[in-house]
Amino acid sequence: MQPFELASPKTREQAVRLLGTDPARATILAGGSDLLGLMKDNVVTAGRLVYVKSVSGLTGVHTEKAGGLRIGALTTVDDLSADAALGFEYPAITAAAGHVAGPQIRNVATLGGNLLQRPRCWYFRNGFGLLAQRDGKSMVVDGDNRYHAILGNDGPAYFVQPSTLAPLLIAVGAQVVLFGPQGERRLDLEKLYRIPKTEGEREHDLKPGEVLTEVLLPPVAGRKVYSYEVRQRQTLDWSLATASVALEMDGGGKISRARVILGQVAPVPWAATETEEFLKGKTLDVDVASKAGEAAVAKAKPLSQNRYKIQLARVAVKRALLAAAGIVEEGA
Amino acid sequence: MVDYFWPAAKDRHLIGQRISRLDGPAKASGRAKYTYDLKPQRMLWGKILRCPHAHAKITSVDVSAAEKMPGVKAVRVIQGPGTEVKWALDEVVGVAATSEALAEEALRAIKVEYEVLPHFVNEANLAQAPKVDAGAEEVVGDPDAAMAAAEVKIKGTYGMPPVAHNCMEAHGQICEWTGADTMNAWCSTQAVAGVAGQFAEGLGIPAANVHVVTEYMGGGYGSKFSVDRWGVECARLAKLAGAPVKLMLDRRAEITVAGDRPSAYGEIEVGAKKDGTLVAWNSKSWASGGPGGSGDPPLPYVFQIPNRRRKHSSVPTNRASARAWRAPNHPQGAFLTMSALDDLAAALGMNPLDFFIQNLSITGVNEKVYREELQIADDLMGWRQRWHPRGDSAKGPIKRGLGLSLHTWGGRGHRSNCEVTLHPDGIAEAKLASQDLGTGTRTVIAIVLADSLGLPLESVKVSLGDSRYPASGGSGGSTTVGGVSSATRRAAQNLLAMIFEKSAPQLGVKPEELEAAEGTIRVKADHGKSLTWRQALAPFGQTPVTATGSNPGTGDLTSSGVGGVQMADVSVDVETGVVRINKVVAVQDCGLIIDLKTAESQVYGGMIMGISAALSEEKVLDPVTGQVLTTDFESYKMAGIADVGELVVHMMTGPGYDERGVIGVGEPPVISPGPSIANAVANATGVRVPFLPLNPRRVLDALEANAAKKKETA
């Protein structure tokens, strides 16, 4: 790890000032569960770490007068998993938070960090850059891409967005509050993520000097919400494919609006718009859920070693939909 | 002449009991200090600059900037210009500095240029290998005629990738020079006695001048017998700097260069008569364990099929050299053999348990052991009640199945010497330059000593992990427990002979009429006639009494050749390819057991390591760079406690087993998890997943290939 300066602001304003506008010089340190490892491996270097844990007002889940929840970005994943108000409104979110990594990591990792963590792509993590290009060619395409993208993978980005919570929060319509040199702005969480086209670009849309301060959740309003992860190991493992769904139902038990967001399959949390269209007006059963899974991967393109992820995404969608609707498939 | 023997069951007061390891509290509380924890006065931090290329020629090395940095106390070029580097992360330059951060900064200031050469790292597809060292064909009987005549036969390709040892404590040491040619070295090593000589050879100093200490050790599994180049370089840096240097590998280097269990792949054809009698075997196998190629797995494994042909090829690759990994070559031999035999049983329409039992006559000396073990395993697993033919007919995506595998290992005690000192306060101390890798060696020695002298465990002390004690072998191949317990037993019996000599006249009997029991020296036939331990020692005065014992020696205290059986019960989600372990049963023989608890722990540990390798571990080599991609515990996937299922261990003890003497048990339990789990997956799904690890990719790929094949034939 290279030497760095540690700054501990007490307010959002101080944090933004200390952060400056050159991301290469200063970066935010919150829980540090990922950043410090990246720094030890020299994948990330920063002259200054702006340690925001002491910034006041950025923790906890707050119920808004107008309905909905306001969650501080510094709320730990462990606190999220145990929050009564969040669990009452969105039990799927507290459950998902409770399955992130292991207890030690959940205890320090923050909501903001979970949403903005860097990709786990092993080329990136071994120092070959976010796009892992060499001599103008993608190392991912020619190399070992078993965990890489099957959607949104026209290149040059092939990594997958790794957040456990992002697909679920997008599905329920979360917004984020960003605070920067120009003041505060609100953005749909879905619009925070982008697919970089050049090595210098980031995988999110934070402007230089901006800090993610809060996440806003609308009231659940009767929607059926669920997130299904395919994981090999029970603990301390990444999902291989995630499907997070939120379904609005009409009076007759038909789906009036569906949000289906896939995780771990694309460089951004992937909105399965074909599936969302397909589900409109349908009554959910096993057959509909299976077809919805097919629709989600209709445009998937496997790389040389990740064909199996198409099946995983397909089944994750099916299972998330059935679980959201409370339908138990025979034998499952 | 003392007659050496293990006490009969009725005369053992500690041997064979379930006794917790003596150093458990020190380890659990953190009081135990491992090499990684030690920090001598003035200690410097050693770091190594490593080559990023899997194959390259070093063209220039410039260390001048690093040398000028304040706080950098030593810089040494390990491999200079002109050297051909044959694997990624090989050592190029070593530095020692006053802090870890400074040492890393110095590495970044070093400029090395390379001429990058072509590399080869993925040997799964033999056709792509630029070089293959074909082994000789070995033929027994008439395999061609027997195969042609076989009524049922199968052909299959099976394989397993390389895995890393991934010791919790990385490789490394601290070196401190105490004179111009005398040195202390605290090492994380499996060979305290042996490594001193290796340092001496590398440094050109007398072996007697190297003092190696390993009080606690965080795992080796076969990867820590060598001083390694980084060990000698650590000593050189310490000498250059004039201060102690600690050099431990980081996780990336640990996984990449300090542990590699060779892969193994094989095309196998095996045939039987309609009644299940095995008649013919044909195997063409290949494997790699780095530039030197690989070991040669025993094929066919356990079952000596009367007509057989085998040919094994070794494939040189650009990855760091293979190291012994718990039961070297056996997991590979077992996986290739037991997978093929299970496929043959399915083709025969036989329950594999019946099929294996029917062919036990060709397993050699362990036939009876296997027969008894299979019966016990059957009872513990409920195999006969629960087994179904291939393909669980249950509705829904979760399919359940059973699989089994047999294994064998040697495990005879190694060369060992023990000195027992009886202190005037009545405490007996055993000294051996052995080492406790976390297996319970310390505890086993204490049990043997206390049981032999009729003392409670509290009255004995074990001193090991120091090269100044009597030499004892490296801890590998399950040889330690047989070696140290035999040497300790002989030393204790020699000591008792000296004591009995003095006690006999006091009690008015002959020495051979005496025994040591319950803290006394007493007449065997009349326990009323006895001396307290202190009274017995009084004639020796204030000078401690010592005796030594060695292995090998007279008396059958250790032997070789164990048999073991494992059965696995798994559930497979055929929509996701996720395999979950419900239960694994291990029935294991290892002769006379000194400590039932640590023996069982060895079996649990072996099973967990084997299950982890079967399900998720893989050293992934990047075809583009030749580097290892799985360089941390996130990407190098080891099973967690929630992944291993219910583990049931049954140790074979009593008549038929105890009289074989002490045999090691570190290796055998790691051999069968791969094949038994893979066979259970085949039983559950009806489809052979031919390659480990059994992760969703492998399972779904196999299911998809099978579905495509069915479609084609339909």
Side-chain angles (χ1 to χ4, degrees):
Chain A
M1 191 186 285
Q2 302 194 24
F4 58 85
E5 181 186 300
L6 185 70
S8 293
K10 296 277 184 277
T11 66
R12 296 186 307 173
E13 290 76 9
Q14 285 174 355
V16 166
R17 227 174 9 254
L18 286 161
L19 197 53
T21 52
D22 183 358
R25 294 179 62 122
T27 192
I28 292 277
L29 171 67
S33 60
D34 190 26
L35 179 64
L36 298 179
L38 287 167
M39 291 176 68
K40 283 183 184 174
D41 292 339
N42 287 306
V43 175
V44 171
T45 52
R48 177 188 289 168
L49 294 186
V50 181
Y51 185 50
V52 290
K53 271 284 181 135
S54 307
V55 173
S56 55
L58 295 186
T59 58
V61 178
H62 311 278
T63 305
E64 297 277 76
K65 284 209 185 84
L69 299 168
R70 186 165 52 83
I71 310 175
L74 291 176
T75 309
T76 66
V77 174
D78 188 57
D79 284 344
L80 271 189
S81 73
D83 190 86
L86 182 62
F88 183 77
E89 194 81 1
Y90 288 112
I93 298 178
T94 49
H99 288 112
V100 169
Q104 292 94 332
I105 289 174
R106 289 197 294 274
N107 212 28
V108 295
T110 63
L111 170 59
N114 186 275
L115 296 176
L116 290 171
Q117 67 186 298
R118 307 305 310 272
R120 317 308 300 187
C121 165
W122 49 26
Y123 290 97
F124 170 64
R125 298 264 158 183
N126 279 301
F128 296 108
L130 185 57
L131 300 182
Q133 286 186 313
R134 205 163 69 160
D135 307 327
K137 282 177 71 186
S138 167
M139 299 168 75
V140 177
V141 170
D142 294 338
D144 198 308
N145 46 46
R146 68 184 69 183
Y147 299 126
H148 287 81
I150 53 168
L151 285 160
N153 59 356
D154 299 326
Y158 298 95
F159 61 83
V160 296
Q161 209 285 334
S163 171
T164 302
L165 298 173
L168 187 49
L169 295 179
I170 291 170
V172 303
Q175 290 192 314
V176 287
V177 180
L178 307 172
F179 184 77
Q182 264 68 52
E184 195 176 278
R185 65 173 174 132
R186 282 189 188 195
L187 191 66
D188 287 342
L189 175 58
E190 191 166 13
K191 300 213 170 82
L192 183 64
Y193 299 104
R194 59 203 297 271
I195 302 180
K197 293 291 175 200
T198 64
E199 186 59 46
E201 289 177 43
R202 284 292 296 264
E203 63 278 22
H204 59 67
D205 218 6
L206 282 184
K207 303 269 181 291
E210 266 186 338
V211 184
L212 194 162
T213 56
E214 286 170 311
V215 174
L216 308 174
L217 300 182
V220 67
R223 286 176 294 166
K224 297 179 185 296
V225 179
Y226 200 83
S227 192
Y228 188 91
E229 289 190 341
V230 182
R231 282 198 198 193
Q232 187 186 8
R233 291 184 302 173
Q234 311 257 34
T235 51
L236 280 174
D237 204 1
W238 293 93
S239 165
L240 294 165
T242 302
S244 300
V245 302
L247 308 173
E248 284 177 40
M249 315 300 284
D250 67 16
K254 287 193 164 57
I255 297 168
S256 53
R257 182 170 184 258
R259 293 293 347 248
V260 178
I261 312 296
L262 307 180
Q264 312 287 352
V265 297
V268 294
W270 188 260
T273 48
E274 293 85 353
T275 304
E276 294 172 349
E277 268 315 300
F278 167 79
L279 287 170
K280 219 177 268 178
K282 297 275 192 322
T283 304
L284 205 57
D285 59 21
V286 173
D287 183 53
V288 167
S290 300
K291 286 185 173 136
E294 292 296 340
V297 297
K299 291 188 178 156
K301 279 187 306 183
L303 303 170
S304 59
Q305 297 186 45
N306 66 1
R307 197 180 154 71
Y308 74 106
K309 287 187 70 173
I310 295 178
Q311 163 63 11
L312 296 184
R314 182 189 287 135
V315 74
V317 168
K318 180 184 84 169
R319 291 184 180 183
L321 288 169
L322 292 177
I327 297 170
V328 178
E329 197 180 356
E330 199 182 356
Chain B
M1 181 71 196
V2 178
D3 179 21
Y4 303 108
F5 61 93
W6 289 112
K10 65 175 174 54
D11 298 327
R12 301 173 201 148
H13 76 281
L14 293 168
I15 289 174
Q17 302 293 305
R18 208 176 247 111
I19 294 169
S20 295
R21 68 185 65 220
L22 302 177
D23 48 13
K27 289 182 171 181
S29 64
R31 274 181 286 124
K33 297 298 175 206
Y34 293 76
T35 301
Y36 220 120
D37 299 321
L38 300 173
K39 197 179 176 199
Q41 293 271 315
R42 299 173 55 243
M43 188 193 86
L44 303 172
W45 298 84
K47 291 276 172 191
I48 292 176
L49 184 70
R50 296 176 176 279
C51 172
H53 308 292
H55 189 197
K57 190 176 263 182
I58 299 172
T59 53
S60 73
V61 180
D62 179 2
V63 298
S64 55
E67 284 175 329
K68 288 187 197 112
M69 290 169 67
V72 173
K73 303 295 184 187
V75 178
R76 233 191 79 81
V77 176
I78 301 169
Q79 298 194 85
T83 318
E84 184 182 340
V85 176
K86 290 185 175 171
W87 59 78
L89 304 199
D90 199 12
E91 299 85 27
V92 180
V93 182
V95 302
T98 49
S99 77
E100 212 171 351
L102 198 55
E104 284 174 6
E105 206 180 322
L107 295 188
R108 285 193 293 273
I110 297 168
K111 301 274 173 280
V112 183
E113 284 173 11
Y114 300 94
E115 177 195 342
V116 180
L117 302 169
H119 64 260
F120 177 72
V121 292
N122 301 107
E123 70 278 11
N125 185 346
L126 188 63
Q128 291 172 350
K131 183 167 180 273
V132 175
D133 298 328
E137 188 174 278
E138 294 165 46
V139 177
V140 174
D142 188 346
D144 294 332
M147 194 65 81
E151 289 162 313
V152 180
K153 51 195 152 190
I154 62 100
K155 225 178 198 176
T157 301
Y158 312 88
M160 55 212 284
V163 296
H165 294 63
N166 240 330
C167 309
M168 198 54 76
E169 181 184 41
H171 285 63
Q173 61 291 306
I174 301 169
C175 294
E176 175 185 44
W177 291 84
T178 52
D181 62 355
T182 56
M183 187 182 83
N184 293 328
W186 293 268
C187 299
S188 185
T189 181
Q190 290 176 247
V192 165
V195 90
Q198 294 181 41
F199 267 119
E201 197 184 333
L203 298 167
I205 59 173
N209 291 6
V210 181
H211 179 202
V212 173
V213 177
T214 306
E215 194 170 2
Y216 294 99
M217 207 275 209
Y221 313 108
S223 69
K224 290 182 179 168
F225 291 110
S226 169
V227 66
D228 284 310
R229 184 156 59 200
W230 53 75
V232 174
E233 289 302 327
C234 176
R236 288 183 175 142
L237 287 170
K239 185 140 206 191
L240 272 175
V245 171
K246 170 149 82 177
L247 198 162
M248 306 296 291
L249 300 195
D250 61 19
R251 188 55 56 187
R252 186 166 187 235
E254 178 71 17
I255 291 176
T256 303
V257 303
D260 191 291
R261 183 212 66 190
S263 62
Y265 300 88
E267 292 165 14
I268 291 160
E269 188 181 15
V270 57
K273 290 184 194 165
K274 225 182 269 173
D275 69 356
T277 307
L278 282 164
V279 293
W281 168 278
N282 240 323
S283 64
K284 195 182 124 198
S285 55
W286 68 97
S288 182
S294 77
D296 189 353
L299 290 172
Y301 188 60
V302 173
F303 292 95
Q304 294 313 304
I305 300 169
N307 303 288
R308 54 188 193 264
R309 171 188 288 110
R310 64 187 298 273
K311 187 177 159 122
H312 181 76
S313 299
S314 174
V315 184
T317 48
N318 294 106
R319 43 172 217 267
S321 301
R323 287 168 190 248
W325 186 89
R326 221 165 167 171
N329 296 319
H330 282 232
Q332 294 94 324
F335 181 71
L336 297 181
T337 303
M338 301 296 161
S339 298
L341 293 186
D342 188 75
D343 285 349
L344 181 58
L348 284 158
M350 282 181 83
N351 182 329
L353 179 56
D354 294 327
F355 172 68
F356 276 46
I357 288 172
Q358 174 161 349
N359 288 289
L360 283 182
S361 62
I362 54 168
T363 59
V365 293
N366 279 327
E367 179 184 348
K368 187 166 164 287
V369 171
Y370 288 132
R371 201 174 295 281
E372 290 177 7
E373 289 178 337
L374 281 167
Q375 180 62 55
I376 292 168
D378 178 10
D379 292 343
L380 290 170
M381 182 56 94
W383 180 284
R384 287 196 189 282
Q385 288 83 51
R386 300 180 42 216
W387 182 82
H388 57 72
R390 273 202 183 171
D392 183 2
S393 56
K395 280 218 165 100
I398 308 296
K399 309 293 185 191
R400 196 161 177 173
L402 299 177
L404 79 90
S405 169
L406 310 185
H407 56 259
T408 186
W409 187 256
R412 180 181 295 280
H414 58 23
R415 205 154 63 76
S416 176
N417 295 284
C418 174
E419 180 183 283
V420 173
T421 301
L422 200 48
H423 295 283
D425 60 3
I427 301 289
E429 180 186 10
K431 291 181 195 154
L432 310 85
S434 184
Q435 50 280 317
D436 189 332
L437 276 50
T439 53
T441 301
R442 192 179 258 118
T443 307
V444 161
I445 295 167
I447 289 170
V448 169
L449 184 57
D451 196 295
S452 300
L453 300 180
L455 291 172
L457 270 178
E458 298 74 48
S459 295
V460 302
K461 180 184 174 188
V462 176
S463 297
L464 49 64
D466 189 317
S467 63
R468 286 178 178 165
Y469 298 144
S472 196
S475 290
S478 300
T479 58
T480 304
V481 69
V484 299
S485 60
S486 299
T488 303
R489 174 71 183 176
R490 290 193 180 98
Q493 285 194 262
N494 288 344
L495 187 82
L496 281 180
M498 293 166 73
I499 294 171
F500 290 170
E501 198 69 38
K502 300 273 190 197
S503 305
Q506 294 184 59
L507 292 167
V509 293
K510 288 184 182 142
E512 55 270 27
E513 292 174 64
L514 294 174
E515 66 177 6
E518 296 175 45
T520 65
I521 304 299
R522 67 193 186 190
V523 178
K524 284 183 209 168
D526 180 1
H527 293 181
K529 286 171 82 175
S530 69
L531 297 175
T532 65
W533 191 242
R534 291 234 171 196
Q535 286 169 331
L537 295 190
F540 295 96
Q542 282 305 301
T543 307
V545 191
T546 66
T548 59
S550 298
N551 191 61
T554 58
D556 294 328
L557 300 188
T558 176
S559 68
S560 181
V562 300
V565 167
Q566 291 188 16
M567 290 180 174
D569 166 0
V570 308
S571 289
V572 184
D573 184 332
V574 294
E575 290 183 348
T576 62
V578 172
V579 176
R580 296 256 185 264
I581 307 292
N582 301 312
K583 180 174 171 176
V584 181
V585 169
V587 183
Q588 186 62 50
D589 134 56
C590 63
L592 174 68
I593 292 175
I594 303 292
D595 182 349
L596 191 51
K597 190 170 187 176
T598 55
E600 286 169 345
S601 289
Q602 281 290 89
V603 178
Y604 284 118
M607 291 164 83
I608 291 169
M609 197 164 174
I611 291 168
S612 183
L615 291 184
S616 53
E617 286 187 44
E618 180 175 0
K619 194 165 166 179
V620 177
L621 277 292
D622 179 25
V624 179
T625 61
Q627 289 191 13
V628 174
L629 291 169
T630 46
T631 49
D632 53 31
F633 282 124
E634 177 182 322
S635 52
Y636 189 89
K637 296 187 182 224
M638 298 176 81
I641 206 73
D643 301 312
V644 300
E646 180 194 357
L647 305 181
V648 177
V649 173
H650 179 92
M651 304 302 295
M652 302 300 286
T653 55
Y657 295 91
D658 289 4
E659 58 268 33
R660 301 172 64 192
V662 179
I663 315 176
V665 74
E667 333 285 308
V670 84
I671 300 167
S672 275
S676 61
I677 293 167
N679 289 344
V681 168
N683 181 247
T685 61
V687 176
R688 166 62 56 185
V689 182
F691 301 106
L692 298 183
L694 299 163
N695 55 30
R697 179 169 73 120
R698 291 297 192 195
V699 174
L700 291 177
D701 283 356
L703 292 176
E704 194 184 37
N706 185 63
K709 206 168 77 187
K710 263 192 183 161
K711 221 173 174 180
E712 211 171 275
T713 52

